[in-house]
Amino acid sequence: MRIIVVDDNAMNVTVVQEMLKRAGYHNISSCSSALELYERLGLAEDGTDQRPASEEPVADLILLDMMMPRVDGITACRTIHGLERLKDVPIIMVTAIGDSKKLAEALDAGAADYVTKPINRVELMARIRSALRLKQEKNWHKERDRRLRDELRLAREVQYAVLPQRLENERIVIDAIYRPSEELSGDLYAWHRIDDHRYAVAVIDAMGHGISSSLVCMFIASVLKEVMSKLTDPEDVIMELNRRAMQLHFSDQLIQYYFTGIYMIIDLEQGTAEYVNAGHPPGLVIRCGKEETVRIEGGSPAIGLFDGITVRKQSVSIASGDRIVIVTDGLLDWSSGGTEDEDDSDPVERLRCTLSSGSEASYLEQWTNELFGSEEPGGNSDDQCLLWIELK
């Protein structure tokens, strides 16, 4: 246990050190001023940290005199606890002042506790034990949080590994832009080549985001992978997803997870895209060389809300050069704000304007910049996903 005693009076330091040694504490050092304490802790005279944030503090507890020349104890306490590297080091103020306002100021500055002069040995030891117990609890929570962050990073890697890689051949390109709001996401996309001219694509958006929705979404991902390889009709796929989603039971009956999604079969030979929109925001078919854009509208309820849902399959014609875009509602939330344009009332229309602009060579880069910006994952309020298909 490393304890630093800070006092400009050498006699006070000697008395405190002797008390600590008799109580079984032996790793004790002293400083005669706050500036000397700064140097010991690795701080500059102005209080800025000169050491890496990852470096461990050199003290487990500081006994700090409140009244000292140049830099007083309250200022030093506020400076030390204002630094990320040192904020969890407990500081016990030692004071001869009985001013309640000053004591309150010291506690507001981050002091864990205080003792008054002349120091009572029993009281001092009790307050030290209390401060060290609090520090141990903080250390336990920090270690638990560190393990949780490591596990979340691993879970995120697993979740990313489930997502398919870009598909491209002489007839079609399928890819996605993906930005989770947190370490884990409730958005999911998938595609599957059925035969030489048919491709299945899906975008799923689970209610909420974070750990719970991502775990449920991973369950749906495993189900989706299975049904995409066995079923080809969009109606059958959505019905099966709904049946499997209704099998999820939770101890809290008030919690019910549901999903929106679009499942589509693209038939390049027939020039059609058959789909079911299950409560999902409209997708878009951007016609090649035309001003026309076709919405992939809804018509079916969300997945996982009710048994025996009625699913309605729809169809849209497609041709070489067309682009199909399916997004999750995180991107529509983005398009709902911003300027005073007259189309702000319809986020899908604003999204359509963004997706329809740009040259053939740069449209994907433009979409990424305008829709997702330069933020890192975790910088947005909701998961964001854009799946796009280009017909060659």
Side-chain angles (χ1 to χ4, degrees):
M1 183 61 60
R2 301 162 300 172
I3 300 176
I4 300 179
V5 181
V6 186
D7 199 312
D8 59 329
N9 187 311
M11 180 59 69
N12 290 338
V13 171
T14 301
V15 170
V16 172
Q17 285 181 325
E18 188 62 26
M19 288 181 179
L20 294 172
K21 289 177 182 177
R22 292 188 178 187
Y25 300 104
H26 299 289
N27 192 350
I28 307 165
S29 58
S30 64
C31 297
S32 60
S33 68
L35 293 179
E36 186 179 343
L37 174 64
Y38 283 1
E39 183 179 359
R40 182 77 56 82
L41 296 176
L43 310 184
E45 286 193 8
D46 61 359
T48 56
D49 201 347
Q50 303 296 299
R51 296 180 183 175
S54 59
E55 184 174 313
E56 285 293 319
V58 297
D60 297 305
L61 175 71
I62 299 173
L63 295 174
L64 181 60
D65 187 26
M66 185 180 291
M67 298 299 295
M68 291 185 294
R70 296 189 63 181
V71 179
D72 62 60
I74 295 176
T75 301
C77 180
R78 184 179 293 109
T79 298
I80 292 168
H81 278 173
L83 300 171
E84 181 66 27
R85 182 172 63 89
L86 302 172
K87 67 178 184 180
D88 291 329
V89 177
I91 296 176
I92 295 178
M93 304 299 293
V94 181
T95 178
I97 301 175
D99 188 344
S100 59
K101 289 184 178 180
K102 279 292 182 181
L103 293 176
E105 187 180 351
L107 295 173
D108 288 340
D113 211 334
Y114 67 91
V115 292
T116 56
K117 300 177 183 177
I119 297 175
N120 180 290
R121 183 180 63 84
V122 175
E123 179 186 356
L124 175 62
M125 294 306 116
R127 295 185 186 275
I128 286 176
R129 288 193 297 270
S130 176
L132 292 178
R133 279 197 302 269
L134 179 60
K135 184 176 187 298
Q136 288 174 347
E137 290 178 5
K138 286 184 177 180
N139 290 342
W140 181 85
H141 284 288
K142 285 174 65 175
E143 178 61 22
R144 187 191 63 173
D145 290 344
R146 184 195 64 78
R147 291 198 303 268
L148 179 59
R149 286 194 300 270
D150 290 342
E151 290 173 0
L152 284 174
R153 280 193 289 267
L154 176 59
R156 183 181 177 187
E157 294 299 321
V158 172
Q159 193 172 39
Y160 269 97
V162 172
L163 300 175
Q165 299 298 310
R166 175 187 175 99
L167 187 155
E168 181 173 7
N169 56 40
E170 67 280 357
R171 303 188 69 183
I172 193 171
V173 177
I174 307 176
D175 205 348
I177 310 171
Y178 177 61
R179 186 71 56 81
S181 63
E182 300 179 3
E183 288 287 351
L184 299 176
S185 170
D187 287 358
L188 167 70
Y189 58 86
W191 49 78
H192 171 66
R193 182 171 183 171
I194 300 173
D195 52 38
D196 289 342
H197 60 276
R198 290 187 301 168
Y199 297 82
V201 297
V203 172
I204 300 291
D205 186 357
M207 179 197 73
H209 47 83
I211 296 176
S212 57
S213 64
S214 66
L215 291 175
V216 177
C217 200
M218 289 295 288
F219 167 76
I220 291 297
S222 64
V223 174
L224 184 62
K225 183 177 181 181
E226 176 187 340
V227 299
M228 287 181 81
S229 62
K230 294 180 179 179
L231 305 174
T232 56
D233 189 286
E235 290 185 350
D236 294 337
V237 170
I238 296 298
M239 293 290 286
E240 179 63 14
L241 287 177
N242 188 72
R243 185 185 72 83
R244 298 290 290 274
M246 293 302 296
Q247 294 176 351
L248 292 173
H249 297 287
F250 300 94
S251 56
D252 187 346
Q253 296 300 314
L254 296 177
I255 299 177
Q256 183 177 18
Y257 285 93
Y258 64 89
F259 315 85
T260 67
I262 293 179
Y263 188 84
M264 176 182 290
I265 299 294
I266 299 170
D267 192 325
L268 299 177
E269 191 172 272
Q270 297 295 325
T272 60
E274 291 187 330
Y275 66 91
V276 170
N277 184 324
H280 200 75
L284 297 170
V285 179
I286 304 171
R287 300 296 189 191
C288 178
K290 301 178 182 178
E291 300 255 337
E292 179 189 7
T293 301
V294 180
R295 290 194 182 198
I296 304 171
E297 298 281 6
S300 300
I303 302 165
L305 278 177
F306 310 105
D307 282 316
I309 61 173
T310 300
V311 177
R312 184 165 67 93
K313 180 172 64 177
Q314 302 178 75
S315 180
V316 62
S317 62
I318 53 175
S320 177
D322 289 350
R323 294 196 297 267
I324 302 172
V325 178
I326 304 172
V327 302
T328 55
D329 60 4
L331 285 179
L332 293 187
D333 292 341
W334 164 87
S335 64
S336 295
T339 66
E340 298 295 329
D341 294 343
E342 60 181 9
D343 59 4
D344 273 358
S345 59
D346 184 356
V348 177
E349 176 62 20
R350 182 174 175 184
L351 182 66
R352 183 200 66 79
C353 293
T354 301
L355 297 176
S356 299
S357 61
S359 65
E360 291 295 322
S362 65
Y363 69 86
L364 185 57
E365 180 181 353
Q366 177 182 319
W367 293 354
T368 304
N369 292 336
E370 293 196 23
L371 297 179
F372 294 85
S374 58
E375 293 180 346
E376 293 298 322
N380 35 288
S381 61
D382 196 4
D383 303 321
Q384 297 176 337
C385 175
L386 183 150
L387 183 145
W388 60 280
I389 304 157
E390 182 176 3
L391 307 176
K392 295 185 177 180

